[in-house]
Amino acid sequence: MLYLIGLGLGDAKDITVKGLEIVRRCNRVYLEAYTSILTVGKEALEEFYGRKLILADREEVEQEADNILKDADTNEVAFLVVGDPFGATTHSDLILRATKLGIPYRVIHNASIMNAVGCCGLQGGQPRSSHRQDTWRPESFFDKVEKNRQSGMHTLCLLDIKIKEQSLENLIKGRKIYDPPRYMSVNQAAQQLLEIVQNRREEGEEPAITEDTLCVGLARVGTEDQKIAAGTLQQMCTVDLGGPLHSLIITGGSMHPLEKEMLSLFSISEQP
Amino acid sequence: MLYLIGLGLGDAKDITVKGLEIVRRCNRVYLEAYTSILTVGKEALEEFYGRKLILADREEVEQEADNILKDADTNEVAFLVVGDPFGATTHSDLILRATKLGIPYRVIHNASIMNAVGCCGLQGGQPRSSHRQDTWRPESFFDKVEKNRQSGMHTLCLLDIKIKEQSLENLIKGRKIYDPPRYMSVNQAAQQLLEIVQNRREEGEEPAITEDTLCVGLARVGTEDQKIAAGTLQQMCTVDLGGPLHSLIITGGSMHPLEKEMLSLFSISEQP
């Protein structure tokens, strides 16, 4: 097993409890030393983890990935990354190589600048916030996703969560009785988007998002049973991702070859 | 002290070591229960932390923030959030209220869907990746930032890091001698952007980014001595944020009132 473990942004104690347990039991532990910088020295990490770390610089990871992955089919190897393994730099190369060698991998996420930057008070993409915090208004949302796609940008849709909502009747009567929680699924979101595609066509438009637009459905990201499925928006209407929470990415069209290769690991196989 | 502590995305062990230490010593520990869902029950968390948790639902946080913050000037209060405190939902409300009451706050970051989503292989904003991974090409980058701003979107620029770079001479001679690491500062980035603003004007254009564009400079986010400064692009040329790593946000123009209020906590005071 190859573990990619995020170390977070601060010092040695910003590793997660789960990450620390894995580090302490792995056969070999590499520390990636080029995409970001450590705020504490390698020695401080080694002392806190109680493990020797092997420094892996850019050349090592790119040219000697096979050394890192050696025996990882029967041993446990950890690869430590400052921030999150999928923060500023993805480690697709290493994961794709492991997959080709038949070595399973697991990711232990942590904070990266990509989310921690929110501490300044600015919020992420407009589609996201309006989507999540207001009611689900697919028509206005659709325009934003289209615009993103036309600019070559992926859109991450965090799907609607309704917790402790009151029915209108209970609200009026002042009864603190709440509806059961509801979570929008990727299927529901995809179906709503496709309805808009149809509406637009009936109005004589050819929308930038169609049945064939490449999407990615994600469920329970970061948990042991997370599911990822890449396929068309049409396929997203029926893909089975299991329970909440779901997210849906509408891709931005042109993609980097590494993005394509990674997505292929999750592609929905065509039904016969 | 008010601590906002991210719990990450998985189970009880996805809290950071630092977060766990704080939870165990705080006087009161709240668990936010509405912006996301727990993958494990409150009881599982309580057992692992060895602490009773007070569930804070939407009403509690919005209407009874003062209860949460009670005595927090002399006690330690923890507010636990699934994911990152600044992931899908910012907790600006609570922070602003604490600040008004003179209560200091600290954030213990963790993974959120905003960065963990990278596990599907898709990469974040184009400006970011081209900026970081290729050479720093401010002209082409400028166009992307302009486009983002015209669409009302903030742009996060992760500034250039050069580690283990070889000089051309050493490269040609095959000598494994590396230049000292270099990290672009917010000052340098802002100066380069302003040079482009000047170039564009000399070409007769009026760029969408100017000296007066509101920006945010961030340094060492997630560490004990992080610095955040909000001000104009002109002010970013001289603001002192200390050592690396730096990031620069060029705001997207229109902002939510809560975004403005949070930024005001970090605004650069005018020199007399």
Side-chain angles (χ1 to χ4, degrees):
Chain A
M1 179 74 89
L2 170 70
Y3 292 98
L4 291 108
I5 301 175
L7 301 186
L9 296 168
D11 55 40
K13 289 187 177 178
D14 283 301
I15 193 170
T16 65
V17 175
K18 190 179 284 170
L20 183 59
E21 286 180 355
I22 294 170
V23 165
R24 288 188 170 158
R25 73 163 192 251
C26 271
N27 301 83
R28 293 196 307 282
V29 185
Y30 293 90
L31 173 63
E32 185 241 41
Y34 66 85
T35 57
S36 191
I37 55 162
L38 286 164
T39 53
V40 291
K42 171 169 167 278
E43 295 69 28
L45 296 183
E46 288 179 327
E47 195 187 329
F48 182 68
Y49 303 155
R51 292 297 312 264
K52 274 279 159 205
L53 304 179
I54 308 163
L55 220 56
D57 62 28
R58 190 193 299 251
E59 287 169 22
E60 174 90 8
V61 179
E62 285 175 7
Q63 296 165 21
E64 300 179 52
D66 290 342
N67 278 344
I68 294 174
L69 296 172
K70 201 179 163 194
D71 306 326
D73 48 343
T74 51
N75 283 286
E76 293 194 306
V77 174
F79 187 78
L80 310 185
V81 178
V82 176
D84 183 74
F86 294 97
T89 305
T90 66
H91 291 80
S92 310
D93 261 330
L94 193 60
I95 288 176
L96 288 168
R97 201 176 300 221
T99 305
K100 278 171 197 157
L101 293 170
I103 297 164
Y105 71 93
R106 201 170 146 213
V107 178
I108 308 298
H109 290 285
N110 208 322
S112 79
I113 185 71
M114 301 307 294
N115 60 354
V117 68
C119 65
C120 76
L122 292 179
Q123 305 197 5
Q126 289 303 315
R128 175 168 64 85
S129 14
S130 68
H131 190 176
R132 179 67 161 274
Q133 285 155 10
D134 305 342
T135 52
W136 164 237
R137 295 168 309 179
E139 283 279 349
S140 69
F141 181 68
F142 190 88
D143 295 334
K144 287 172 181 169
V145 180
E146 263 195 318
K147 211 164 158 184
N148 280 352
R149 187 167 165 91
Q150 281 157 348
S151 308
M153 291 194 290
H154 311 310
T155 307
L156 168 62
C157 317
L158 305 178
L159 303 181
D160 215 16
I161 302 176
K162 301 270 185 211
I163 295 179
K164 249 192 150 185
E165 298 278 329
Q166 282 174 288
S167 67
L168 190 59
E169 195 189 338
N170 285 330
L171 190 69
I172 290 169
K173 296 191 175 164
R175 293 190 296 218
K176 294 216 167 188
I177 300 170
Y178 302 101
D179 298 335
R182 282 179 298 145
Y183 308 99
M184 183 178 282
S185 69
V186 160
N187 298 157
Q188 290 169 319
Q191 278 154 13
Q192 293 194 5
L193 290 172
L194 281 187
E195 278 169 31
I196 301 169
V197 170
Q198 284 309 331
N199 291 347
R200 296 288 163 101
R201 285 198 184 125
E202 281 163 22
E203 290 161 12
E205 281 178 48
E206 188 44 41
I209 315 287
T210 72
E211 295 82 352
D212 299 323
T213 298
L214 181 59
C215 296
V216 185
L218 305 103
R220 304 174 304 286
V221 170
T223 69
E224 294 244 13
D225 71 337
Q226 73 173 29
K227 274 202 181 167
I228 304 177
T232 64
L233 183 54
Q234 186 70 59
Q235 287 176 312
M236 289 299 133
C237 293
T238 51
V239 65
D240 180 12
L241 295 171
L245 289 175
H246 287 193
S247 306
L248 176 66
I249 298 174
I250 294 112
T251 64
S254 67
M255 277 188 286
H256 188 279
L258 265 182
E259 290 186 301
K260 287 185 194 165
E261 207 176 341
M262 276 294 289
L263 276 195
S264 72
L265 300 182
F266 307 111
S267 71
I268 300 171
S269 53
E270 291 295 329
Q271 299 301 316
Chain B
M1 178 75 89
L2 169 70
Y3 291 98
L4 292 108
I5 302 176
L7 300 186
L9 296 168
D11 54 39
K13 289 187 177 177
D14 283 301
I15 194 170
T16 65
V17 174
K18 190 179 284 171
L20 183 59
E21 286 180 356
I22 294 169
V23 165
R24 288 188 170 158
R25 72 162 192 252
C26 272
N27 301 82
R28 292 196 308 281
V29 186
Y30 292 90
L31 173 63
E32 184 241 40
Y34 66 86
T35 58
S36 191
I37 54 162
L38 287 164
T39 54
V40 292
K42 170 169 167 276
E43 295 69 28
L45 295 183
E46 287 179 327
E47 194 187 330
F48 182 68
Y49 303 155
R51 290 298 311 266
K52 276 279 160 207
L53 303 180
I54 307 163
L55 220 55
D57 61 29
R58 189 194 299 252
E59 287 169 23
E60 175 90 8
V61 179
E62 285 176 8
Q63 296 165 21
E64 300 178 51
D66 290 342
N67 278 343
I68 295 174
L69 296 172
K70 199 179 164 197
D71 306 326
D73 48 343
T74 51
N75 283 286
E76 293 194 305
V77 174
F79 186 76
L80 310 186
V81 178
V82 176
D84 184 75
F86 294 97
T89 305
T90 65
H91 291 81
S92 310
D93 261 331
L94 193 60
I95 288 176
L96 288 168
R97 201 174 301 220
T99 305
K100 278 171 197 157
L101 293 170
I103 297 164
Y105 72 93
R106 199 168 148 217
V107 178
I108 308 298
H109 290 285
N110 208 322
S112 78
I113 186 70
M114 301 307 293
N115 60 355
V117 68
C119 65
C120 76
L122 292 178
Q123 305 197 5
Q126 288 304 314
R128 174 170 64 87
S129 15
S130 69
H131 191 175
R132 179 68 161 275
Q133 285 156 11
D134 306 340
T135 51
W136 164 236
R137 296 167 309 176
E139 283 278 349
S140 68
F141 181 68
F142 190 87
D143 296 334
K144 288 173 181 168
V145 179
E146 264 195 317
K147 210 165 157 182
N148 280 351
R149 187 169 165 90
Q150 281 156 348
S151 309
M153 292 195 290
H154 310 311
T155 306
L156 167 63
C157 316
L158 306 177
L159 303 181
D160 214 17
I161 303 177
K162 301 272 185 209
I163 295 178
K164 251 196 149 182
E165 298 277 328
Q166 283 174 288
S167 68
L168 189 59
E169 195 189 339
N170 285 330
L171 190 69
I172 289 169
K173 294 190 176 166
R175 294 190 294 217
K176 295 217 164 184
I177 300 170
Y178 303 100
D179 298 336
R182 284 179 297 143
Y183 308 98
M184 183 178 280
S185 69
V186 160
N187 298 158
Q188 291 169 318
Q191 278 153 15
Q192 292 194 9
L193 289 172
L194 281 186
E195 278 168 31
I196 300 168
V197 170
Q198 285 308 330
N199 291 347
R200 296 287 163 101
R201 285 196 183 127
E202 282 163 21
E203 290 161 14
E205 282 178 47
E206 188 43 41
I209 316 286
T210 72
E211 295 82 353
D212 299 323
T213 298
L214 180 59
C215 295
V216 185
L218 304 104
R220 303 173 306 287
V221 171
T223 68
E224 295 244 12
D225 70 337
Q226 73 173 29
K227 273 202 181 165
I228 304 176
T232 64
L233 183 54
Q234 186 70 58
Q235 287 176 314
M236 291 297 133
C237 293
T238 51
V239 65
D240 180 11
L241 295 171
L245 289 175
H246 287 192
S247 306
L248 176 65
I249 298 173
I250 295 113
T251 64
S254 66
M255 277 188 287
H256 188 278
L258 265 182
E259 290 186 301
K260 287 187 195 165
E261 207 176 341
M262 276 294 290
L263 276 195
S264 72
L265 300 181
F266 307 112
S267 71
I268 300 171
S269 53
E270 292 295 328
Q271 299 301 316

